[in-house]
Amino acid sequence: MSLTDNPVQDSGTTPVRSARAGAADGATASTRIDFLYLSEPDMIRAGVTDMPACVDAMEEMFALLHHGDYRMAGANNNSHGAIVMFPDESPFPDMPKSTVDRRFMAMPAYLGGSFRTAGMKWYGSNIENRDKGLPRSILTFVLNDADTGAPLAFMSANLLSAYRTGAVPGVGARHLARKDSRVVGILGPGVMARTSLSAFMAVCPRIDTVKVMGRGKANLDAFIGWVGETFPQITVQTVDTAEAVVRDSDIVTFCASVATGDPSIYPTVRREWVRPGTFLSMPAPCNIDEGMEGDDIRKVLDNTGLYESYLEELPAPAHRFVPAVGVRFLDLVAEGRLDKATLEDLGGIVAGDTPGRRNDEEIIILSVGGMAVEDVAWGTIVYRNALRDGIGVKLNLWDAPALR
């Protein structure tokens, strides 16, 4: 769909003129607010699946995080967001009951720099959606002008979220993987595996082999078919164990979803499996053995404040509730088994204040927690692309507000 008669006043940043505009010369300021609606096909046309550009956007975002030019939810401005959960039993017959991944989640953030926008991802999730032919989570995103608070766009966000999630491992690989990396080991052949591999290919173009482990033949076949179509130069090998995923891989990523509550069932990395020079990127549930706790393993967090927020909000050990390996790192710090000073931050590495990979022998593990600022960064760029290319449907909030 095309965008017509768009009242853009600010080089693609805001579609509404500030109420203060024109006040100095006596002109009457417009109070009209229009915003863009971007469906999933609109988002694709506006470039949401452009993984190299998404990796670049995430890299810019991480530098802003390092310098503090952002805000997320919570008293410490680093919270993942606010969540609505449901009980196992309820006296209200129409209230949803607790199942795996049944929740509603709001993830707001502000991001400065060249973005200077705010936004919120909102989604509902239910594992039973798959029986209805729907994604487990159904996501939308609203982007707002940071000055007036006016909406700029309302977007379909499943692809937005998937690509920004995969792009973060790509940023990690750009700085922390060996440049000659060829073999990628993947546990869990779902959407996150596809976007992570796309990001790895964007920054490590010598990759020629993927080893993948999955629980079901349908998912494995779909992943193998996608790789064949998207990266025909890659050879895909199916393996049956997490050990086979990790051994002899240059890049390893765990992308499988599992039930939370018992870290002993989370996919685990064992030190004896990991060869020198491996980069491990973990955007999904992950645990580590004692050997991986050692000082010879570089441990990197995508945002230290995010994990500190988890520890403030949740009872110990927090890894029971949030299965990211970075939460396990902070639990180990709380238990006195790990020195917090040994933990590194990806933002500091991107900004150049902390070195990236120092040699070909280092083993580095990155925890990817997922943050609302990522949605704001990529959502802002896709929105500006849509404005530039006339994509989307312009909707009117009001010509003048009824209440002021």
Side-chain angles (χ1 to χ4, degrees):
M1 298 183 184
S2 296
L3 173 67
T4 58
D5 190 30
N6 181 51
V8 177
Q9 302 291 332
D10 193 15
S11 301
T13 300
T14 172
V16 59
R17 186 167 58 187
S18 167
R20 293 189 296 272
D25 59 9
T28 301
S30 172
T31 58
R32 178 184 176 95
I33 293 178
D34 296 310
F35 63 95
L36 272 185
Y37 168 69
L38 294 168
S39 67
E40 183 165 271
D42 291 334
M43 294 290 284
I44 294 171
R45 291 174 59 210
V48 73
T49 61
D50 183 348
M51 182 55 82
C54 191
V55 172
D56 290 343
M58 294 303 104
E59 186 167 53
E60 183 178 353
M61 178 216 69
F62 275 112
L64 293 172
L65 261 61
H66 180 64
H67 295 297
D69 195 2
Y70 75 100
R71 287 293 186 271
M72 291 193 291
N76 61 8
N77 299 303
N78 277 304
S79 179
H80 185 70
I83 189 168
V84 175
M85 304 286 286
F86 293 100
D88 293 331
E89 299 295 337
S90 169
F92 308 102
D94 294 330
M95 179 178 284
K97 301 294 191 296
S98 175
T99 61
V100 175
D101 282 325
R102 192 160 205 169
R103 65 188 184 274
F104 287 93
M105 188 92 192
M107 297 174 62
Y110 161 81
L111 186 62
S114 68
F115 302 96
R116 200 174 176 274
T117 47
M120 185 185 74
K121 182 167 69 182
W122 167 250
Y123 67 92
S125 186
N126 185 354
I127 194 70
E128 294 175 1
N129 281 356
R130 290 174 175 170
D131 298 331
K132 304 172 184 176
L134 295 170
R136 181 192 66 192
S137 298
I138 299 174
L139 301 90
T140 55
F141 180 75
V142 60
L143 184 70
N144 296 83
D145 178 71
D147 179 34
T148 66
L152 301 174
F154 185 81
M155 307 177 178
S156 170
N158 277 62
L159 288 173
L160 176 77
S161 186
Y163 274 78
R164 64 79 156 160
T165 300
V168 173
V171 175
R174 176 176 280 170
H175 294 270
L176 302 174
R178 293 200 332 269
K179 300 305 179 188
D180 62 350
S181 294
R182 293 180 49 253
V183 181
V184 177
I186 297 175
L187 191 153
V191 170
M192 202 179 302
R194 297 187 188 195
T195 57
S196 294
L197 180 59
S198 295
F200 295 147
M201 290 298 295
V203 300
C204 297
R206 296 186 185 180
I207 292 169
D208 59 20
T209 303
V210 169
K211 297 184 297 177
V212 60
M213 173 188 170
R215 290 190 290 262
K217 185 176 185 302
N219 282 346
L220 274 171
D221 288 346
F223 178 79
I224 293 169
W226 172 83
V227 173
E229 292 177 3
T230 311
F231 302 111
Q233 71 273 35
I234 290 180
T235 299
V236 181
Q237 303 170 2
T238 59
V239 296
D240 296 325
T241 64
E243 178 178 356
V245 167
V246 176
R247 280 195 184 275
D248 300 319
S249 293
D250 302 309
I251 297 173
V252 173
T253 186
F254 285 3
C255 300
S257 59
V258 300
T260 59
D262 181 4
S264 70
I265 68 170
Y266 300 166
T268 299
V269 179
R270 302 193 179 282
R271 176 63 184 86
E272 65 195 63
W273 301 344
V274 185
R275 71 178 179 183
T278 303
F279 168 61
L280 303 102
S281 168
M282 300 301 176
C286 177
N287 207 346
I288 54 174
D289 74 350
E290 251 185 83
M292 290 297 293
E293 297 174 16
D295 291 342
D296 59 321
I297 309 297
R298 288 184 67 183
K299 303 169 187 69
V300 181
L301 304 171
D302 51 352
N303 178 9
T304 303
L306 173 70
Y307 300 91
E308 292 173 339
S309 178
Y310 282 136
L311 261 64
E312 292 173 8
E313 297 167 355
L314 298 169
H319 199 216
R320 293 175 296 163
F321 308 99
V322 179
V325 70
V327 176
R328 178 61 178 153
F329 297 161
L330 268 291
D331 280 342
L332 290 169
V333 170
E335 295 167 13
R337 294 170 55 183
L338 196 66
D339 182 357
K340 189 176 181 181
T342 64
L343 300 180
E344 302 178 55
D345 193 275
L346 183 58
I349 292 169
V350 168
D353 289 343
T354 304
R357 173 169 287 276
R358 293 173 294 214
N359 58 65
D360 285 347
E361 302 301 305
E362 285 186 309
I363 296 171
I364 307 171
I365 182 168
L366 168 68
S367 180
V368 179
M371 295 177 285
V373 283
E374 297 163 11
D375 301 298
V376 174
W378 192 223
T380 298
I381 289 176
V382 173
Y383 162 72
R384 290 173 180 166
N385 290 346
L387 282 183
R388 180 195 65 206
D389 297 336
I391 298 167
V393 178
K394 182 179 72 173
L395 300 177
N396 177 250
L397 191 69
W398 61 53
D399 289 324
L403 294 175
R404 285 185 272 187

